[in-house]
PDB file of all heavy atoms in Angstrom:
ATOM      1  N   ARG A  45      26.693  17.466  11.752  1.00 51.00           N
ATOM      2  CA  ARG A  45      27.668  16.595  12.372  1.00 51.00           C
ATOM      3  C   ARG A  45      28.863  17.371  12.625  1.00 51.00           C
ATOM      4  O   ARG A  45      29.412  18.027  11.670  1.00 51.00           O
ATOM      5  CB  ARG A  45      27.943  15.301  11.554  1.00 51.00           C
ATOM      6  CG  ARG A  45      28.831  14.303  12.212  1.00 51.00           C
ATOM      7  CD  ARG A  45      29.030  13.107  11.284  1.00 51.00           C
ATOM      8  NE  ARG A  45      29.568  13.500  10.052  1.00 51.00           N
ATOM      9  CZ  ARG A  45      29.323  12.760   8.941  1.00 51.00           C
ATOM     10  NH1 ARG A  45      28.622  11.711   8.996  1.00 51.00           N
ATOM     11  NH2 ARG A  45      29.893  13.226   7.769  1.00 51.00           N
ATOM     12  N   ALA A  46      29.464  17.297  13.813  1.00 52.00           N
ATOM     13  CA  ALA A  46      30.740  17.965  14.059  1.00 52.00           C
ATOM     14  C   ALA A  46      31.862  17.354  13.426  1.00 52.00           C
ATOM     15  O   ALA A  46      31.894  16.040  13.253  1.00 52.00           O
ATOM     16  CB  ALA A  46      30.863  18.088  15.532  1.00 52.00           C
ATOM     17  N   PRO A  47      32.927  18.053  13.035  1.00 54.00           N
ATOM     18  CA  PRO A  47      34.164  17.465  12.343  1.00 54.00           C
ATOM     19  C   PRO A  47      34.902  16.703  13.414  1.00 54.00           C
ATOM     20  O   PRO A  47      34.947  17.010  14.537  1.00 54.00           O
ATOM     21  CB  PRO A  47      34.821  18.616  11.737  1.00 54.00           C
ATOM     22  CG  PRO A  47      34.375  19.782  12.626  1.00 54.00           C
ATOM     23  CD  PRO A  47      33.016  19.578  13.009  1.00 54.00           C
ATOM     24  N   ASP A  48      35.561  15.530  12.860  1.00 56.00           N
ATOM     25  CA  ASP A  48      36.495  14.792  13.685  1.00 56.00           C
ATOM     26  C   ASP A  48      37.709  14.474  13.011  1.00 56.00           C
ATOM     27  O   ASP A  48      37.785  13.565  12.197  1.00 56.00           O
ATOM     28  CB  ASP A  48      35.823  13.442  14.155  1.00 56.00           C
ATOM     29  CG  ASP A  48      36.572  12.701  15.218  1.00 56.00           C
ATOM     30  OD1 ASP A  48      37.756  12.976  15.340  1.00 56.00           O
ATOM     31  OD2 ASP A  48      35.907  11.866  15.959  1.00 56.00           O
ATOM     32  N   PRO A  49      38.748  15.430  13.050  1.00 59.00           N
ATOM     33  CA  PRO A  49      39.921  15.311  12.184  1.00 59.00           C
ATOM     34  C   PRO A  49      40.671  13.935  12.443  1.00 59.00           C
ATOM     35  O   PRO A  49      41.243  13.406  11.539  1.00 59.00           O
ATOM     36  CB  PRO A  49      40.858  16.450  12.688  1.00 59.00           C
ATOM     37  CG  PRO A  49      39.879  17.421  13.177  1.00 59.00           C
ATOM     38  CD  PRO A  49      38.726  16.609  13.863  1.00 59.00           C
ATOM     39  N   GLU A  50      40.606  13.384  13.720  1.00 60.00           N
ATOM     40  CA  GLU A  50      41.319  12.204  13.967  1.00 60.00           C
ATOM     41  C   GLU A  50      40.810  11.066  13.190  1.00 60.00           C
ATOM     42  O   GLU A  50      41.487  10.095  12.837  1.00 60.00           O
ATOM     43  CB  GLU A  50      41.329  11.850  15.558  1.00 60.00           C
ATOM     44  CG  GLU A  50      42.039  12.877  16.313  1.00 60.00           C
ATOM     45  CD  GLU A  50      42.055  12.567  17.756  1.00 60.00           C
ATOM     46  OE1 GLU A  50      41.490  11.533  18.197  1.00 60.00           O
ATOM     47  OE2 GLU A  50      42.667  13.272  18.523  1.00 60.00           O
ATOM     48  N   LYS A  51      39.483  10.991  12.988  1.00 54.00           N
ATOM     49  CA  LYS A  51      38.843   9.876  12.219  1.00 54.00           C
ATOM     50  C   LYS A  51      38.709  10.220  10.809  1.00 54.00           C
ATOM     51  O   LYS A  51      38.126   9.527   9.991  1.00 54.00           O
ATOM     52  CB  LYS A  51      37.515   9.567  12.896  1.00 54.00           C
ATOM     53  CG  LYS A  51      37.602   9.120  14.337  1.00 54.00           C
ATOM     54  CD  LYS A  51      36.309   8.660  14.863  1.00 54.00           C
ATOM     55  CE  LYS A  51      36.364   8.169  16.282  1.00 54.00           C
ATOM     56  NZ  LYS A  51      35.016   7.745  16.820  1.00 54.00           N
ATOM     57  N   GLY A  52      39.179  11.451  10.374  1.00 56.00           N
ATOM     58  CA  GLY A  52      38.966  11.888   8.897  1.00 56.00           C
ATOM     59  C   GLY A  52      37.544  12.182   8.631  1.00 56.00           C
ATOM     60  O   GLY A  52      37.233  12.002   7.413  1.00 56.00           O
ATOM     61  N   ILE A  53      36.679  12.591   9.564  1.00 52.00           N
ATOM     62  CA  ILE A  53      35.374  12.815   9.276  1.00 52.00           C
ATOM     63  C   ILE A  53      35.178  14.374   9.179  1.00 52.00           C
ATOM     64  O   ILE A  53      35.522  15.103  10.049  1.00 52.00           O
ATOM     65  CB  ILE A  53      34.368  12.296  10.436  1.00 52.00           C
ATOM     66  CG1 ILE A  53      34.557  10.846  10.459  1.00 52.00           C
ATOM     67  CG2 ILE A  53      32.978  12.753  10.151  1.00 52.00           C
ATOM     68  CD1 ILE A  53      33.663  10.190  11.695  1.00 52.00           C
ATOM     69  N   LYS A  54      34.655  14.777   7.994  1.00 52.00           N
ATOM     70  CA  LYS A  54      34.405  16.170   7.841  1.00 52.00           C
ATOM     71  C   LYS A  54      33.067  16.566   8.374  1.00 52.00           C
ATOM     72  O   LYS A  54      32.137  15.831   8.499  1.00 52.00           O
ATOM     73  CB  LYS A  54      34.401  16.579   6.312  1.00 52.00           C
ATOM     74  CG  LYS A  54      35.685  16.262   5.585  1.00 52.00           C
ATOM     75  CD  LYS A  54      35.588  16.523   4.136  1.00 52.00           C
ATOM     76  CE  LYS A  54      36.945  16.342   3.392  1.00 52.00           C
ATOM     77  NZ  LYS A  54      36.845  16.737   1.950  1.00 52.00           N
ATOM     78  N   GLY A  55      33.079  17.772   8.862  1.00 52.00           N
ATOM     79  CA  GLY A  55      31.795  18.325   9.490  1.00 52.00           C
ATOM     80  C   GLY A  55      30.716  18.543   8.415  1.00 52.00           C
ATOM     81  O   GLY A  55      31.039  18.906   7.295  1.00 52.00           O
TER      82      GLY A  55
END
Side-chain angles (χ1 to χ4, degrees):
R45 182 178 61 205
D48 190 340
E50 294 183 359
K51 296 182 179 180
I53 298 177
K54 297 181 179 180

